[in-house]
Amino acid sequence: MKRALYNFIIMVFVPFLTFAQSTVTGVVKNSAGPLSGVTISEKGGNSVQTDRNGRFRLSLSRNKELVFTSVGYVSQERTVKGGEDLEIILQSSSQDINEVVVIGFGTTKKLTNTGAVSSIKGAEIRNVPTSSVQNALTGRLPGFVSVQRSGQPGRDASDFYIRGVSSLNSEGNQPLIIVDDIEYTYEQLSQINVNEIESISILKDASTTAVFGIKGANGVLVVKTRRGESGTPRINFRAESGMQSPVTRLNFLNAYESALLWNEAIANTDGDNTNQPFSAESLERFRLGDDPYGHPDINWYERIFKPVSFQYNTNVDISGGSESIRYFISGGAFSQDGNLYTFSNEGDQINNNYYYRRYNLRSNLDVQATKSLKLRLDFRTNFGNINSPRAGNIVGEVFDFNKIRPWSAPFLNPNGSYTYANDTQDLLPTVNTRLATAGYNLDRRNDINILFGGTQELDMVTKGLSFSTRIAYASVESNVREQARDEIPVYRYYPYTDSYLLKGGSPYVLGNYTLRAYQGDYNNRMNFQANFNYDRTFGIHRVNSLLLYNRESYKTKGDRSTNWIPQNFQGFTWRTGYNYSEKYLVDLTLAYNGSDRFQSDKRYGLFPAVSAGYNLSQEKFFQEAFHFVDLFKLRASYGVVGSDKVAGDRYLFQQVYNGGGGYSFGETHQSSGTIYEGNLGNPRVTWEKQRSFDVGLEMNLLKNKFSLVVDYFNNIRYDQLVTSQSLPIHIGVGVSPTNIARVRNRGVEFELNYNNHIGEFNYNVKGVLTYFKNKILFQDEPMPAYPWLQLTGHQINQPIGYLFDGFYTAENIPDSPKPTGGYIVQPGDLRYKDLNGDGIIDDYDRTTIGRPNIPNTSFGLTLGGSYKGFSFSALLQGTTGYSFSVQGSGIEPFQSQFQPIHQERWTAETASTAKFPRLTTNPTTISSPSSYMSDFWLIDATYLRLKTVELGYQLPDRWLPFKINNARAYVSGYNLFTWTNYSLYQQDPEVTSNTAGDAYQNQRVINLGIQIGL
């Protein structure tokens, strides 16, 4: 009986045990959490897909080798054994030929795309610790050129360009920004929470931008936001805390060092150069620092700016739904503090620091109303506050020698009272005094976006046909709250009599704050779109087509008391594509649209484009000869696109009349207003146009482990609107811009990717490079006296100045050219080349110097890897081919604080090693960059940054309590290290040229974060 029972148990349970040993289970994730739809294939055997929660179960037939694949991710292979529970983490891939990328008003597969498109997933930039989307894209996409001019909280978004600049109009180079097919401004883009973004594409050639017609010439940045998927609700929570510090920390000389240089400058200055301001006794007091109130020595930068500040970022999103309703809801809060110490009194409840607060909310809802009708409702809002001290530009304050000096005043008087800079012309209260008492400016901004749309499938008419429509509303409202105190009691302390003297005109006590409010931006945008889409496959033939109507109305006003006139745009777009067996590819685009900025008969234009591709890797002979090549595609495009971003009056075709001053009539004074003629109207004015040519090669090798994309582009921007410079000024009236200028911009782009693995260690390398060079072909400038004065033939915004030819010395002064105006050169002044040989240095000796202030070469190298739950990535980013200079309070003695470079000035003893001209108090010498800009002051701004670094660890499922299905901790950094090749300036290489260089410094961030999924 026992034996029979034993045999029965074996017969019943052994099959189950065998089955368990030949079955594997597991979960597949990416860095954000579980991945659904991943295919798990046994080589030569069974295959399954992961469910909504990334889980799978697979019965092994005979092979223990599994392959994990998903569109947009690097495939993984894993040797397994029966009964094993796996945890697989896939890496994002940018070279999957079957990946779908977003383009204008549609999508396309990389395999069959014929245009120049670069894209990135939102997940790849989600953990970059910066508030602005455009900052996170730097160095990651070919064709994307950016410059971050400021690090001020809330105003640190980079200026960016697609394939450089082609227009002579400053605003004529801004790319079009499209979010879910709706136009956004630069500011609106910087307000987007990156947690909401699914993907970003940049469209670079005519075939991809012609659908936007009159707005497509500058390239297009397309953002697609995240949407929900059917299944149980998934909740993701992310919290970060970051520590900020300036990338460049300023170093100014102390009082003793500065006083020595001032005495020297007085001795070098023409006229009375014997009355030196600092005696030997005063210098000794500064050196010893033993008289802090009689001889103060304050490093205002160190005392005003703290070395570290903090930022915080929190996001939560929930997505899910059923087959009929799907939703994605996201909320976020971002907080970034400034670098100022706190000086205000607690009782005032005034925050005198810079700071930025932003709160985002997005809801994307998709409804399957019927089997053939889909509806969508998107809602987004954000609230932002940008605070800044009413004391003004604080970086500029500590730079400015005419407002404060190391010895101007103690930080506070001995009794704690406030003081002022008693040796300056303006006699301003010290910086800390105004920060503590003057109040703040608070910019408050609210954005709202609402989109409602629907798509009706029309298979009953013909298979593959659908009709879509949508209407969108966007508004921006901002205002400024100013909490101000204008009069501040300040005292001068006399240490030798221990007495205080109130500054004349100052009150004895602090008054109350005055609250003021001002209207800021106030605008709204209405957009309506309707389109027919057709996409159908006939065997090896595939045809797709789009017919779109697009209308937009934008209204803005700064004063609600005046009527605001809408700016209107509308047009039609037709696009069709055909591919034969994914081998021969062709796309045609035709846009007909216009803007009311132009006269009625000049309002609309036709913008055609054609592109074609040939996928050699689909040819049988090519596959047999190069079996390791997965993709080898040649493509080319040509078309005409436009830009309606023009300078000057909004309606340039109209005659302008302006209000003038009063005029007196009659025997007794009776004033009457006047009107005078403004710029003449130009009835023929129209938009700028661009002929764009692009040819590209896309290649994938070794089972898509290696990919290369190369593009060459050549664009001619013509009919550019510029004001004629050849008209004589004695015609007595201004003229409107005319469509006459022409610029060529051409260059190359490279994108290289390599993904592979060694066992369970996965690694990837990505390199991008963009090079462009523009050339002004014509701009109607008058014929100059000498050819080297001509700007035509050079780059846009090419600097003009003198060529440095060493320093004047006692030996070379007699035989050297000299400036006009009675200025007598001295040894140690900068000497310039006399280009026309007349022995005089004047405007005729200026020529093109250096490079423009926008880099013509941008590159990035991303290195990444993962092992089990650990992951690492680093981005090295840099630019070259551009220059910058600063002037005034940024570098010039007696306008700027004395800096270390001033200690390397020219003297008789340092003549052979000097890096700076002799010191003088005269602000208009030949050595001044404000008066005589030269290539001595123009710096090659080439730099290399360790832009981002991230180290993360994804916790195993077995460690996770409750219903947590994903948890990841990470440390990330931004702008960690910067290498430059200059020492003259204490400036970030991305500074705006020809300024004082006193913008809020760019920030280095070290960030700690955690991400949890439920």
Side-chain angles (χ1 to χ4, degrees):
M1 181 66 181
K2 290 182 179 180
R3 185 180 181 86
L5 181 60
Y6 178 74
N7 289 335
F8 174 76
I9 291 173
I10 291 177
M11 292 174 62
V12 171
F13 287 98
V14 162
F16 289 96
L17 293 173
T18 303
F19 175 78
Q21 292 175 354
S22 62
T23 301
V24 291
T25 59
V27 62
V28 182
K29 302 178 179 180
N30 64 3
S31 60
L35 277 176
S36 61
V38 178
T39 301
I40 301 96
S41 303
E42 179 187 13
K43 288 186 176 180
N46 300 326
S47 65
V48 295
Q49 286 192 333
T50 56
D51 62 16
R52 162 77 175 172
N53 297 313
R55 304 292 308 185
F56 71 92
R57 175 184 293 271
L58 177 66
S59 298
L60 301 175
S61 56
R62 57 183 181 275
N63 202 319
K64 300 294 179 71
E65 295 288 333
L66 298 185
V67 181
F68 298 81
T69 57
S70 181
V71 173
Y73 292 89
V74 180
S75 299
Q76 275 197 40
E77 297 183 5
R78 184 69 63 86
T79 301
V80 299
K81 56 184 178 181
E84 189 173 1
D85 189 46
L86 303 174
E87 187 166 356
I88 306 298
I89 301 174
L90 294 184
Q91 275 192 312
S92 178
S93 170
S94 58
Q95 64 237 49
D96 192 321
I97 60 177
N98 292 309
E99 184 179 0
V100 174
V101 295
V102 178
I103 57 174
F105 308 107
T107 59
T108 183
K109 278 202 316 182
K110 283 190 174 182
L111 179 64
T112 56
N113 174 47
T114 60
V117 181
S118 297
S119 63
I120 190 171
K121 297 183 179 66
E124 296 183 47
I125 58 174
R126 206 159 287 159
N127 295 334
V128 178
T130 178
S131 63
S132 300
V133 175
Q134 47 264 60
N135 293 352
L137 294 176
T138 301
R140 298 179 185 272
L141 293 170
F144 186 88
V145 179
S146 67
V147 188
Q148 187 177 354
R149 303 299 193 184
S150 170
Q152 181 183 338
R155 294 192 170 97
D156 63 350
S158 299
D159 297 334
F160 68 93
Y161 311 90
I162 294 177
R163 290 186 166 176
V165 296
S166 301
S167 176
L168 292 165
N169 293 307
S170 57
E171 294 184 1
N173 293 296
Q174 293 183 353
L176 178 66
I177 300 168
I178 300 294
V179 180
D180 290 336
D181 291 338
I182 306 302
E183 182 176 347
Y184 271 42
T185 64
Y186 265 41
E187 285 190 345
Q188 286 176 306
L189 177 66
S190 67
Q191 301 290 325
I192 292 180
N193 185 343
V194 72
N195 190 63
E196 304 170 3
I197 295 176
E198 176 68 29
S199 67
I200 297 176
S201 300
I202 57 172
L203 316 181
K204 300 177 286 188
D205 68 336
S207 70
T208 54
T209 63
V211 292
F212 303 99
I214 203 172
K215 297 186 176 185
N218 302 318
V220 185
L221 186 142
V222 181
V223 178
K224 179 185 178 183
T225 60
R226 299 166 66 185
R227 312 202 71 81
E229 298 177 2
S230 301
T232 55
R234 292 174 57 175
I235 302 173
N236 287 289
F237 171 79
R238 181 160 57 95
E240 299 175 342
S241 177
M243 183 173 64
Q244 306 173 100
S245 61
V247 171
T248 304
R249 192 148 183 89
L250 303 178
N251 180 22
F252 298 118
L253 301 186
N254 61 30
Y256 173 69
E257 296 166 327
S258 299
L260 284 174
L261 295 181
W262 191 338
N263 278 353
E264 180 182 315
I266 291 291
N268 289 340
T269 303
D270 292 336
D272 184 6
N273 55 10
T274 60
N275 185 22
Q276 295 189 338
F278 298 102
S279 66
E281 181 184 356
S282 293
L283 291 173
E284 186 65 9
R285 297 281 73 78
F286 284 136
R287 189 183 70 83
L288 295 176
D290 57 359
D291 185 15
Y293 294 101
H295 292 80
D297 184 5
I298 307 297
N299 186 325
W300 292 102
Y301 178 76
E302 296 290 342
R303 298 294 296 271
I304 298 297
F305 288 88
K306 55 188 177 183
V308 172
S309 60
F310 294 92
Q311 68 178 37
Y312 307 93
N313 188 22
T314 304
N315 292 285
V316 61
D317 62 73
I318 178 171
S319 63
S322 62
E323 292 300 322
S324 57
I325 299 178
R326 297 179 302 280
Y327 55 86
F328 171 81
I329 302 171
S330 174
F334 183 87
S335 174
Q336 184 181 25
D337 291 332
N339 284 354
L340 301 181
Y341 283 108
T342 299
F343 301 106
S344 57
N345 299 317
E346 292 184 4
D348 284 347
Q349 297 182 344
I350 297 297
N351 189 337
N352 66 1
N353 205 345
Y354 295 95
Y355 70 72
Y356 178 44
R357 309 284 187 263
R358 185 185 69 197
Y359 306 95
N360 298 84
L361 175 65
R362 174 178 286 275
S363 171
N364 287 350
L365 182 66
D366 295 285
V367 178
Q368 189 73 47
T370 68
K371 288 184 178 181
S372 60
L373 176 62
K374 298 177 182 178
L375 302 176
R376 63 180 287 186
L377 177 63
D378 300 351
F379 172 80
R380 167 187 171 264
T381 185
N382 71 270
F383 308 94
N385 293 332
I386 300 176
N387 198 76
S388 57
R390 190 171 169 271
N393 176 5
I394 306 304
V395 181
E397 291 277 338
V398 299
F399 254 116
D400 196 336
F401 190 77
N402 291 314
K403 290 186 176 180
I404 198 72
R405 296 156 189 172
W407 53 76
S408 289
F411 199 72
L412 290 172
N413 288 323
N415 65 354
S417 62
Y418 296 119
T419 184
Y420 62 98
N422 60 73
D423 63 339
T424 62
Q425 181 177 356
D426 295 333
L427 301 178
L428 290 173
T430 56
V431 184
N432 59 304
T433 298
R434 283 177 285 131
L435 285 173
T437 60
Y440 64 83
N441 294 321
L442 180 64
D443 292 355
R444 300 182 292 187
R445 176 187 171 109
N446 301 333
D447 288 50
I448 294 177
N449 297 72
I450 302 173
L451 185 151
F452 177 73
T455 299
Q456 174 67 57
E457 296 179 2
L458 299 175
D459 287 349
M460 71 289 292
V461 177
T462 182
K463 187 176 180 181
L465 181 65
S466 64
F467 173 76
S468 298
T469 186
R470 65 186 58 180
I471 185 169
Y473 171 82
S475 72
V476 175
E477 183 173 2
S478 69
N479 57 69
V480 179
R481 173 192 173 100
E482 182 184 73
Q483 196 85 344
R485 184 187 277 133
D486 298 315
E487 299 295 334
I488 304 168
V490 287
Y491 298 82
R492 184 175 181 182
Y493 173 64
Y494 294 89
Y496 306 113
T497 59
D498 192 28
S499 60
Y500 297 84
L501 179 65
L502 180 69
K503 177 191 171 187
S506 296
Y508 282 95
V509 295
L510 281 170
N512 294 325
Y513 282 105
T514 300
L515 178 62
R516 305 184 184 107
Y518 308 96
Q519 176 70 53
D521 292 333
Y522 187 78
N523 61 66
N524 66 50
R525 187 186 304 270
M526 289 289 296
N527 180 272
F528 173 75
Q529 297 175 19
N531 64 77
F532 285 97
N533 276 281
Y534 181 68
D535 192 342
R536 189 169 180 181
T537 300
F538 302 90
I540 59 176
H541 306 275
R542 182 170 182 175
V543 179
N544 61 80
S545 191
L546 166 75
L547 181 61
L548 167 76
Y549 171 73
N550 188 8
R551 179 177 176 85
E552 182 174 282
S553 180
Y554 174 76
K555 295 189 292 185
T556 181
K557 64 180 179 181
D559 185 354
R560 293 191 182 192
S561 65
T562 61
N563 294 324
W564 47 341
I565 302 174
Q567 303 175 29
N568 296 315
F569 161 90
Q570 73 172 357
F572 295 89
T573 299
W574 172 72
R575 178 176 63 200
T576 190
Y578 167 77
N579 80 69
Y580 173 83
S581 191
E582 297 185 335
K583 183 191 309 181
Y584 307 115
L585 319 165
V586 63
D587 290 281
L588 301 174
T589 304
L590 192 64
Y592 179 75
N593 51 39
S595 165
D596 67 357
R597 296 199 67 175
F598 311 110
Q599 195 157 283
S600 57
D601 60 342
K602 300 287 185 181
R603 190 162 292 171
Y604 288 89
L606 198 62
F607 304 93
V610 59
S611 59
Y614 178 30
N615 189 354
L616 273 76
S617 53
Q618 296 295 99
E619 298 282 7
K620 185 176 180 180
F621 73 87
F622 192 92
Q623 295 173 351
E624 293 175 352
F626 305 99
H627 58 87
F628 56 89
V629 177
D630 306 291
L631 173 68
F632 192 94
K633 182 175 65 176
L634 298 171
R635 52 176 170 76
S637 66
Y638 180 79
V640 177
V641 284
S643 172
D644 65 345
K645 293 186 177 181
V646 298
D649 299 316
R650 178 174 164 189
Y651 300 115
L652 296 176
F653 58 87
Q654 291 185 340
Q655 175 63 56
V656 176
Y657 294 93
N658 302 309
Y663 194 86
S664 182
F665 289 92
E667 294 182 2
T668 60
H669 173 65
Q670 295 182 3
S671 180
S672 177
T674 61
I675 296 175
Y676 68 93
E677 187 179 25
N679 291 338
L680 296 176
N682 177 7
R684 294 186 296 275
V685 67
T686 184
W687 55 87
E688 296 183 356
K689 306 174 186 66
Q690 178 170 290
R691 293 191 294 268
S692 296
F693 171 74
D694 181 279
V695 60
L697 166 66
E698 298 179 19
M699 183 168 58
N700 284 25
L701 310 174
L702 307 174
K703 297 182 178 178
N704 294 319
K705 293 176 182 176
F706 174 88
S707 71
L708 175 67
V709 180
V710 182
D711 274 273
Y712 166 79
F713 60 90
N714 190 345
N715 302 330
I716 301 293
R717 183 76 65 93
Y718 62 103
D719 281 354
Q720 291 196 43
L721 278 164
V722 297
T723 302
S724 175
Q725 302 173 48
S726 61
L727 290 175
I729 61 174
H730 60 255
I731 64 173
V733 66
V735 295
S736 291
T738 309
N739 297 99
I740 51 177
R742 190 166 65 253
V743 173
R744 182 184 67 206
N745 181 37
R746 56 187 178 185
V748 293
E749 298 170 353
F750 295 89
E751 179 179 357
L752 181 148
N753 289 274
Y754 184 71
N755 294 320
N756 207 343
H757 68 94
I758 303 173
E760 294 186 45
F761 174 67
N762 300 280
Y763 61 92
N764 64 279
V765 179
K766 178 180 179 180
V768 301
L769 183 144
T770 302
Y771 169 81
F772 75 90
K773 187 173 182 179
N774 58 60
K775 180 180 180 180
I776 301 172
L777 302 178
F778 180 74
Q779 62 174 350
D780 192 32
E781 63 178 327
M783 182 60 66
Y786 300 98
W788 56 79
L789 295 171
Q790 191 170 32
L791 292 176
T792 300
H794 296 283
Q795 298 183 65
I796 296 173
N797 294 324
Q798 174 73 52
I800 300 294
Y802 299 92
L803 299 177
F804 174 61
D805 194 26
F807 294 96
Y808 283 107
T809 65
E811 293 76 18
N812 66 29
I813 284 179
D815 300 324
S816 296
K818 302 171 185 65
T820 58
Y823 175 73
I824 301 175
V825 299
Q826 296 184 28
D829 286 334
L830 300 185
R831 187 178 61 165
Y832 307 123
K833 291 184 179 180
D834 179 15
L835 298 185
N836 64 353
D838 62 359
I840 298 173
I841 297 299
D842 55 17
D843 286 349
Y844 292 129
D845 298 305
R846 297 191 307 153
T847 186
T848 55
I849 56 175
R851 303 285 183 86
N853 194 223
I854 296 174
N856 71 1
T857 304
S858 178
F859 54 89
L861 177 65
T862 303
L863 305 173
S866 65
Y867 177 74
K868 295 186 176 179
F870 292 96
S871 61
F872 168 81
S873 68
L875 169 62
L876 284 166
Q877 175 264 331
T879 61
T880 187
Y882 78 120
S883 306
F884 80 87
S885 65
V886 297
Q887 54 195 22
S889 60
I891 192 64
E892 298 185 54
F894 299 94
Q895 298 182 62
S896 163
Q897 304 290 347
F898 285 104
Q899 304 177 35
I901 191 63
H902 296 140
Q903 294 180 315
E904 301 188 57
R905 77 284 182 202
W906 189 98
T907 66
E909 294 76 18
T910 64
S912 61
T913 59
K915 297 181 180 179
F916 199 87
R918 71 181 181 93
L919 299 181
T920 174
T921 61
N922 186 345
T924 61
T925 72
I926 195 172
S927 299
S928 166
S930 300
S931 302
Y932 290 83
M933 175 53 66
S934 71
D935 58 355
F936 177 87
W937 301 105
L938 203 62
I939 299 297
D940 179 357
T942 297
Y943 73 86
L944 176 66
R945 287 197 203 274
L946 182 55
K947 192 68 176 180
T948 62
V949 170
E950 181 181 328
L951 177 63
Y953 180 65
Q954 198 147 11
L955 278 65
D957 277 6
R958 62 182 181 274
W959 292 8
L960 304 180
F962 311 116
K963 294 186 178 181
I964 296 176
N965 60 29
N966 183 66
R968 183 174 183 266
Y970 54 91
V971 177
S972 58
Y974 178 75
N975 280 346
L976 292 182
F977 299 102
T978 303
W979 296 271
T980 63
N981 63 347
Y982 58 84
S983 59
L984 178 62
Y985 300 115
Q986 297 187 86
Q987 295 290 341
D988 188 272
E990 298 183 80
V991 66
T992 303
S993 192
N994 295 324
T995 65
D998 55 4
Y1000 193 103
Q1001 289 126 314
N1002 287 342
Q1003 298 294 296
R1004 175 188 296 112
V1005 182
I1006 298 176
N1007 188 63
L1008 178 65
I1010 186 169
Q1011 179 181 312
I1012 297 173
L1014 300 172

